[in-house]
Amino acid sequence: MIEIIVSFVFATAFLAISPGPDNIFVLTQSIVNGKKYGLATVLGLMTGCIIHTTLVAFGVSEIMKANDNIFFIIKFFGAAYLLYLAYKVYKSDATIVFSTENVQTKTTLELFKTGFWMNVLNPKVTIFFLAFFPQFLFSKTISTVLQFYILGGIFILVSFIIFSTIAVLAGFVSNVIKQNQKMGVYLKWLQIVVFVGIAVFILKP
């Protein structure tokens, strides 16, 4: 049980650190508008994760109750999806690009709403949660729905800590990225290793 949760924490941390639209958006808003505006964006994104957790918790739980074979198919396609993501990252450019030009100034409430809807309306997040969360169910006695919410809470907490750190240290982070041309390559391969590692974890007997 503890081993599974620790593995989930590390996998979540690696995913949160890896560059993507969400953390790049947080970084940009923090640089342009200030730290508290970046933190407002983070809060919006993390609140959106609650919606995805709920959808996956109740949806997958019902499927698991209905048929173990269907759950195995979900696991198989979950692993396949993660390998697909790893392939897409491998084929992508390792350069990290973010621009602070033409970024509109918004209130903290507006940025909270933007972060929330960015997350909720992104179908890839639901698909990822569907592929990612079921593989880390850690107990046969605790209800599946509760386990999903525990995992969702851990995911949100770990992501919040990392995204908030990016917001607070935005200037430092942007300078490191600009000064170290290989940073994009390191983070690219970090993503690949994490995606492949989780896929192998899913498929192991």
Side-chain angles (χ1 to χ4, degrees):
M1 174 177 172
I2 297 299
E3 293 82 359
I4 295 174
I5 293 177
V6 170
S7 298
F8 182 79
V9 169
F10 277 105
T12 299
F14 287 135
L15 290 168
I17 292 171
S18 302
D22 290 349
N23 49 22
I24 295 297
F25 183 72
V26 169
L27 180 63
T28 302
Q29 292 301 327
S30 297
I31 292 172
V32 173
N33 297 309
K35 296 173 185 178
K36 73 175 183 178
Y37 296 89
L39 291 172
T41 307
V42 174
L43 285 172
L45 289 166
M46 296 304 104
T47 304
C49 287
I50 297 173
I51 306 298
H52 291 290
T53 300
T54 300
L55 291 174
V56 173
F58 286 97
V60 176
S61 294
E62 289 304 312
I63 290 172
M64 290 175 66
K65 288 178 185 177
N67 195 314
D68 287 340
N69 291 329
I70 295 177
F71 181 57
F72 173 77
I73 292 172
I74 289 176
K75 291 179 67 173
F76 178 81
F77 280 101
Y81 179 66
L82 291 167
L83 291 174
Y84 168 71
L85 290 178
Y87 175 74
K88 284 191 67 175
V89 173
Y90 173 73
K91 297 293 289 184
S92 67
D93 186 356
T95 304
I96 301 174
V97 178
F98 65 93
S99 175
T100 57
E101 296 179 6
N102 301 320
V103 177
Q104 296 180 347
T105 301
K106 296 183 179 182
T107 65
T108 52
L109 179 59
E110 287 175 329
L111 284 171
F112 174 86
K113 291 178 180 178
T114 299
F116 176 80
W117 289 115
M118 272 180 65
N119 190 284
V120 170
L121 298 178
N122 186 350
K124 290 183 179 179
V125 178
T126 298
I127 294 171
F128 181 78
F129 273 38
L130 184 62
F132 188 59
F133 277 30
Q135 323 317 326
F136 291 92
L137 294 174
F138 52 86
S139 174
K140 294 184 178 181
T141 57
I142 301 175
S143 74
T144 306
V145 171
L146 180 56
Q147 288 184 70
F148 273 118
Y149 273 108
I150 291 172
L151 291 174
I154 293 171
F155 183 93
I156 290 169
L157 177 61
V158 173
S159 299
F160 176 78
I161 291 171
I162 292 174
F163 276 41
S164 296
T165 301
I166 291 172
V168 172
L169 301 178
F172 172 76
V173 173
S174 63
N175 286 334
V176 170
I177 292 173
K178 289 175 182 177
Q179 293 173 7
N180 191 339
Q181 297 180 348
K182 292 185 178 180
M183 183 61 69
V185 176
Y186 297 149
L187 293 174
K188 173 180 177 175
W189 281 101
L190 173 63
Q191 282 184 290
I192 293 171
V193 169
V194 170
F195 286 142
V196 173
I198 296 172
V200 171
F201 174 79
I202 291 171
L203 293 175
K204 72 178 183 179

